[in-house]
């Protein structure tokens, strides 16, 4: 039981990270990136290329992955977001999905279809108490989530960038008029959004192995979390992520592991039927 | 109907009828049969997505529900004639259950619930192995036949499916010309103005969604009993995305666009097989290019063509 | 009075957060007149219109159209009970033709059957023919018949407003709400609009007009109600309202504050 909680929370932390990446982009440009899972997958593979193929030290592999992800995020923005600014969300969804297909198949061409493993950046014997085993990697995941949550909170509320981001989100046109470097702000949001999913990829690869098709389902879990937590809601994303991790772990253990991926959607549909704007509400509102 | 309207239509019908005379390759005909079935499904998707403007990634699941209902019923020994009705009843029930609580949701949420619905249906198909055959699917499904009379061979199936597609397109065109079709488009253009003009937008959304599901369910029924082999891969989330891109690339809201998009994007991967994995990379980029450069799809490009010609 | 009134609103109240946009508003509109609602910006005119038409429901109150309670009904039900409207920000159906725009509303009380549509049988053809003739008549009234097959976005701004009026007319309303119909119109266009409104009044349709431009409404209206800060501060014949010190204060006071 306690073990399931730990495993569920570790899984949920990864979902929360995907959701936090989505949130960063959503809060700035009000679009939902349906290729976030594929960005996660790229993060995992770039990490593997660094740490396994080129045998870089782990810290260096992580750092280079984050740098690469920032660049990918900006390229992504130029290819997907700029041409579609102001177009209906429907088309943005399809464009990001199409971009996901592109990224997934590029990864298949570069890295092949076989699953690959990435070692954890932390080593050491697992902690045990009261029959519950917490591996060092799980501990590392919890710490990473906590640090990122803190940093993101500080960034959004205390820094100049956070204020610029909010201004951009509220009214792009006015933001530009008052001299906010709108494009640079958006670029930073996309870069950080991609970095967060890259980190999620680096964290998930030591547990589940990495393969080019891994992104689809993980990306969708990120959305389910965003929906449960309310799009653009920081605590909502974290609580939603942990909640989903627990649901899946317990569902797989006590109901059926075959339907592991279905629980997320069942919970999401139930939440939306009861609260059409997500459990924690949505930050943005529309005019009637 | 002017010459501008009926000439391309007549040309399309003649080409469609002549194809089996040109090629005797069973593989080509079977591919075309699948393309025609996809065209029916995309015509169905057009009601909710093209006209009402509601995103829907559940269409592949309705396709699959129709196919599996027919496959399971026919293998259990029920006469073929019952299977279209069973498939329609099942997809109508499913679309009602999914549509009623979710169609009021906003775009992102609706996209997610329909994706989720598709995943749940797929997981049920994959894991309910004794009935559905799991990942290996159902084989040797009994063919189409009423009192022992039914199409034999790929070519006869081809003509049958062309006839069904023609009816499906005709019904879609009639709906478009009726108050229902206008209500659908009005709902997309301005929900509040449609409501204040007396359109029950909630009901219109649900009807469009359900008609689309019925199209998919019937296409699924015909898929199972003409291809005679079904597996979960044919109705997965990837398939839902492919159906959506067929609609977008062909031209949302345009009946010929739906058919062109579905047939084109069903045949294209086979024609470009030599590209291997690169095909899907180009596919994704191609979809982005169409969305960015020609939001009305290929149908809108075709309608622009005469104007260019006239300008010269 | 009440038995002749086509609109009877009692205690209509609407809050947005802490702001009271409509404060206990009563309104009686007699059948067949042109009633104007005026007031400074943000006085609650459009909010009242939205409450009447169901676009954005009031929080409390009672609204009767021709004796039927419509409070909190969905807008499509209210439309079918005989209340049609136009919008301050033009909302035409851009993917339909001008004629089809009007047909949407013309079909509002026509029964619809899937089977008839699929068979395209006699019943269906006759229904569509009726819808078409109603729609063409409505376009005729606003002099847009010649543009029937164009897209509404090809029309100039003022004609798009007239198209909205035609669309509203096609539902054969008892009451027609016009939300700032003259906004963005030049002098000639406004004159055409006033002629059209007079024509509609002649047909026995009750017209409720929300206007910012006070001078425009005074000539055409039989009665004027004045809103300020969500409260009805005056009501009566145009000449009487113009003399009302409360009204002058509301308008002038506001103007001074702006200056």
């Amino acid at each position: 039981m306690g073990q399931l909680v730990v495993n569920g929370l570790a899984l949920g932390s990864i979902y929360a990270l995907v959701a936090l990446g989505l949130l960063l982009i959503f809060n700035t440009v009000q679009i939902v990136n349906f290729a976030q899972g594929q960005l996660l997958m790229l993060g995992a593979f770039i990490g593997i290329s660094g740490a396994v193929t080129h045998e870089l030290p782990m810290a260096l592999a992580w750092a280079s992955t984050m740098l690469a992800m920032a660049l990918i995020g900006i390229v992504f923005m130029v290819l997907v977001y700029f041409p579609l600014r102001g177009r209906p969300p429907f088309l943005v969804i399809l464009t990001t999905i199409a971009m996901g297909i592109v990224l997934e198949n590029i990864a298949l061409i570069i890295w092949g279809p076989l699953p690959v493993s990435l070692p954890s950046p932390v080593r050491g014997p697992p902690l045990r108490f009261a029959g519950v085993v917490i591996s060092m990697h799980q501990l590392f995941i919890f710490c990473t989530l906590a640090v990122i949550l803190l940093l993101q909170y500080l960034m959004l509320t205390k820094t100049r960038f956070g204020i610029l981001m909010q201004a951009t989100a509220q009214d792009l046109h006015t933001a530009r008029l008052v001299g906010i470097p709108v494009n640079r702000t958006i670029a930073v949001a996309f870069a950080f959004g991609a970095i967060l999913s890259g980190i999620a990829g680096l964290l998930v690869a030591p547990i589940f192995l990495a393969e080019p098709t891994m992104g689809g389902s993980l990306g969708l879990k990120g959305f389910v979390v965003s929906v449960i937590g309310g799009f653009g809601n920081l605590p909502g994303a974290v609580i939603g992520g942990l909640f989903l991790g627990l649901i899946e772990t317990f569902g797989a253990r006590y109901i059926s592991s075959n339907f592991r991926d279905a629980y997320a959607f069942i919970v999401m549909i139930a939440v939306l039927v009861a609260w059409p704007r997500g459990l924690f509400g949505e930050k943005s509102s529309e005019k009637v | 109907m002017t010459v501008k309207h009926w000439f391309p239509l007549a040309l399309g019908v003649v080409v469609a009828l002549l194809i089996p005379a040109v090629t005797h390759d069973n593989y080509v005909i079977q591919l075309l049969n699948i393309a025609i079935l996809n065209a029916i499904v995309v015509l169905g998707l057009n009601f909710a997505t093209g006209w009402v403007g509601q995103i829907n990634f559940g269409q592949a699941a309705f396709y699959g529900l129709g196919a599996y209902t027919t496959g399971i019923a026919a293998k259990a020994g029920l006469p073929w004639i019952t299977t279209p009705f069973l498939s329609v009843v099942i997809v109508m029930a499913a679309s009602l259950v999914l549509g009623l609580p979710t169609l009021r949701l906003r775009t992102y949420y609706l996209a997610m619930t329909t994706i989720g619905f598709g995943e749940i249906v797929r997981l049920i198909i994959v894991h309910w192995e004794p009935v559905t055959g799991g990942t290996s699917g159902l084989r040797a499904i009994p063919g189409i036949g009423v009192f022992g009379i039914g199409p034999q061979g790929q070519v006869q199936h081809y003509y049958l499916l062309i006839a069904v597609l023609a009816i499906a397109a005709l019904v879609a065109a009639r709906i478009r010309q009726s108050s229902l079709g206008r209500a659908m488009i009005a709902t997309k253009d301005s929900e509040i103005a449609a409501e204040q003009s007396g359109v029950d937008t909630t009901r219109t959304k649900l009807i469009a969604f359900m008609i689309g599901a019925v199209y998919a369910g019937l296409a699924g029924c015909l898929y199972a009993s003409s291809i005679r082999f079904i597996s979960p891969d044919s109705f997965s989330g990837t398939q839902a995305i492919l159906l959506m891109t067929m609609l977008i690339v062909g031209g949302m809201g345009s009946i010929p666009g739906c058919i062109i998009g579905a047939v084109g994007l069903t045949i294209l991967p086979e024609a470009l097989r030599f590209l291997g994995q690169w095909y899907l990379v180009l596919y994704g980029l191609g979809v982005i290019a169409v969305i960015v450069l020609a939001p009305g799809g290929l149908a809108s490009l075709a309608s622009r063509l005469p104007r260019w010609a006239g300008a010269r | 009075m009440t038995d002749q009134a086509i609109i009877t609103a009692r205690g209509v109240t609407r809050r947005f957060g802490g702001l009271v946009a409509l404060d206990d508003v009563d309104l009686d509109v007699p059948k067949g007149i042109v009633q104007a609602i005026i007031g400074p910006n943000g006085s609650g005119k459009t909010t009242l219109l939205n409450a009447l038409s169901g676009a954005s429901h009031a929080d409390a109150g009672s609204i009767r159209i021709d004796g039927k309670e419509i409070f909190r009904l969905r807008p499509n039900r209210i439309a079918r009970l005989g209340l049609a409207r136009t919008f301050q920000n033009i909302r035409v159906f851009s993917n339909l033709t001008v004629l089809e725009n009007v047909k949407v509303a013309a079909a509002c009380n026509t029964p619809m059957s899937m089977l008839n549509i699929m068979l395209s049988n006699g019943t269906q053809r006759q229904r569509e023919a009726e819808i078409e003739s109603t729609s063409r008549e409505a376009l005729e009234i606003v002099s847009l018949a010649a543009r029937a097959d164009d897209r509404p976005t090809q029309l100039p701004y003022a004609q798009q407003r007239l198209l909205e009026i035609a669309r509203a007319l096609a539902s054969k309303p008892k009451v027609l709400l016009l939300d700032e119909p003259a906004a963005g119109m030049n002098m000639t266009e406004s004159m055409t609009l006033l002629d059209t409104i007079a024509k509609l009044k002649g047909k026995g349709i009750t017209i409720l007009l929300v206007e910012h431009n006070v001078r425009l409404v005074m000539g055409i209206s039989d009665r004027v109600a004045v809103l300020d800060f969500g409260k009805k501060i005056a009501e009566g014949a145009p000449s009487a309202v113009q003399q009302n010190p409360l009204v002058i204060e509301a308008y002038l006071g506001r103007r001074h504050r702006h200056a």
Side-chain angles (χ1 to χ4, degrees), chain B residues 179-246:
Chain B
S179 50
L180 177 60
R182 291 188 298 267
M184 288 179 186
I185 294 173
T187 301
K188 172 186 178 168
D189 284 345
S190 169
E191 212 168 317
I192 184 62
E195 276 278 336
Q196 306 260 230
S197 304
V199 174
D200 187 336
T201 52
T202 313
R203 184 158 152 263
T204 304
K205 284 179 191 173
L206 189 63
I207 291 176
F209 190 64
M210 288 179 75
I211 297 174
V214 168
Y215 269 59
L218 283 175
C221 163
L222 292 170
Y223 186 105
S225 47
S226 63
I227 311 296
R228 305 179 67 175
F229 163 67
I230 50 177
S231 78
D233 287 346
S234 312
F235 314 107
S236 62
T238 314
Q239 179 72 8
I241 293 166
L242 290 181
L243 292 169
M244 191 65 89
T245 54
M246 289 171 186

Side-chain angles (χ1 to χ4, degrees), chain C:
Chain C
M1 182 84 198
T2 319
D3 53 344
Q4 294 168 2
I6 190 126
I7 302 178
T8 319
R10 288 284 171 276
V12 177
T13 301
R14 178 80 167 111
R15 294 180 200 88
F16 295 108
L19 183 86
V20 184
L22 283 179
D23 190 357
D24 203 19
V25 173
D26 293 350
L27 187 70
D28 290 291
V29 182
K31 221 171 249 179
I33 71 156
V34 176
Q35 161 102 44
I37 297 176
I38 62 169
N41 269 336
S43 57
K45 301 181 301 261
T46 293
T47 311
L48 178 60
L49 216 70
N50 283 339
L52 292 175
S53 75
S56 177
H57 288 298
D59 300 308
S62 152
I63 301 166
R64 285 167 181 274
I65 301 292
D66 209 11
K68 288 196 194 75
E69 179 64 56
I70 59 156
F71 180 65
R72 282 190 173 267
L73 283 186
R74 294 208 26 211
N76 73 72
R77 297 269 303 121
I78 296 175
R80 277 179 277 146
L81 285 171
L83 183 143
R85 72 170 286 182
T86 66
F87 296 89
Q88 185 181 344
N89 310 312
I90 293 176
R91 291 169 195 267
V92 289
F93 307 127
S94 50
N95 285 301
L96 294 173
T97 65
V98 166
L99 180 63
E100 283 178 319
N101 261 268
V102 183
K103 278 182 172 182
V104 170
C108 81
N109 278 314
T110 310
M112 185 199 81
S113 130
M114 254 334 273
L115 194 67
N116 287 345
I117 292 173
M118 285 191 328
L119 298 176
S120 187
N121 57 12
T123 318
Q124 179 66 17
R125 282 157 198 264
Q126 197 200 328
R127 280 176 187 168
E128 283 292 326
E130 279 165 20
I131 290 171
E132 170 132 6
S133 70
T134 310
S135 306
R136 288 202 184 270
E137 267 170 48
L139 282 177
E140 206 69 61
I141 292 171
V142 299
S143 312
L144 274 179
R147 308 296 304 263
D149 295 326
D150 288 332
R151 287 295 163 112
T153 42
Q154 293 172 301
L155 300 180
Y157 191 77
Q159 292 198 341
Q160 292 190 27
R161 286 205 178 278
L162 292 175
L163 171 59
E164 282 207 345
I165 294 179
R167 182 175 68 191
L169 283 179
S171 65
K172 304 201 166 130
K174 297 169 189 153
V175 181
L176 177 60
L177 311 186
L178 301 175
D179 195 355
E180 308 238 357
M185 285 190 174
N186 63 29
M187 211 45 207
T188 333
E189 290 162 344
S190 301
M191 284 305 141
T192 319
L193 175 74
L194 291 182
D195 283 348
T196 311
I197 292 176
K199 229 190 285 180
L200 300 180
K201 188 189 167 192
K203 286 178 177 292
I205 299 171
T206 311
I207 290 164
L208 189 67
L209 183 68
V210 161
E211 231 339 304
H212 190 64
N213 183 344
V214 181
R215 232 165 286 148
L216 187 87
V217 297
M218 285 306 178
I220 188 96
S221 308
D222 302 304
R223 275 161 68 90
V224 177
V226 188
L227 289 181
D228 193 27
F229 291 111
K231 278 194 160 89
K232 193 167 82 179
I233 55 166
E235 186 168 21
S239 50
V241 165
Q242 261 171 324
Q243 312 293 320
N244 188 317
L246 274 173
V247 177
I248 294 165
E249 152 71 22
Y251 271 90
L252 287 183
R254 196 64 57 86
R255 235 175 258 158
H256 282 302
R257 253 171 276 158
H258 274 302

Side-chain angles (χ1 to χ4, degrees), chain A residues 136-219:
Chain A
M136 288 310 279
H137 188 65
Q138 282 174 332
L139 203 61
F140 181 65
I141 290 174
F142 296 139
C143 297
T144 312
L145 177 65
V147 169
I148 285 174
L149 182 62
L150 186 70
L151 287 178
Q152 196 166 347
Y153 173 75
L154 291 176
M155 184 173 84
L156 291 181
T157 53
K158 305 277 184 232
T159 65
R160 193 178 124 76
F161 170 73
I163 295 160
L164 293 185
M165 223 176 89
Q166 278 176 21
T168 308
Q170 260 166 26
D171 189 342
L172 206 124
H173 190 63
T174 313
R176 182 170 289 136
L177 283 182
V178 300
I180 289 174
V182 168
N183 286 347
R184 214 185 310 157
T185 309
I186 294 171
V188 172
F190 269 91
F192 274 115
I195 289 175
L196 283 186
S197 39
I199 293 174
L202 291 169
L203 290 174
V204 94
I207 313 177
F208 291 132
L209 304 180
E211 51 185 326
T213 51
M214 74 196 283
S217 106
L218 280 163

Side-chain angles (χ1 to χ4, degrees), chain A residues 30-32 87 90 93-94 97-98 102 105 108-109 223 231 258 262 265 268 272-273 276-277 282 286, chain B residues 49 55 57 101 104 106 108-109 112-113 116 119 123 127 241 244 248 252 277-278 280-281 284-285 291 295:
Chain A
Q30 308 283 305
I31 69 168
V32 176
R87 301 280 283 280
F90 175 59
I93 292 178
L94 273 158
I97 288 177
V102 171
N105 287 285
L108 274 164
I109 292 167
F223 295 121
F231 271 108
N258 283 339
F265 293 115
M268 177 190 73
L272 282 179
V273 168
R277 287 174 169 269
E282 211 172 310
E286 59 180 340
Chain B
T49 304
I55 202 163
F57 288 110
R104 66 197 163 122
R106 290 177 52 199
Y108 292 126
Y109 293 159
M112 281 305 296
T113 40
E119 266 308 286
L123 286 169
H127 293 296
I241 293 166
M244 191 65 89
I248 300 274
M252 280 209 288
Q277 212 67 50
W278 283 103
L280 281 167
V281 175
L285 293 174
I291 292 174

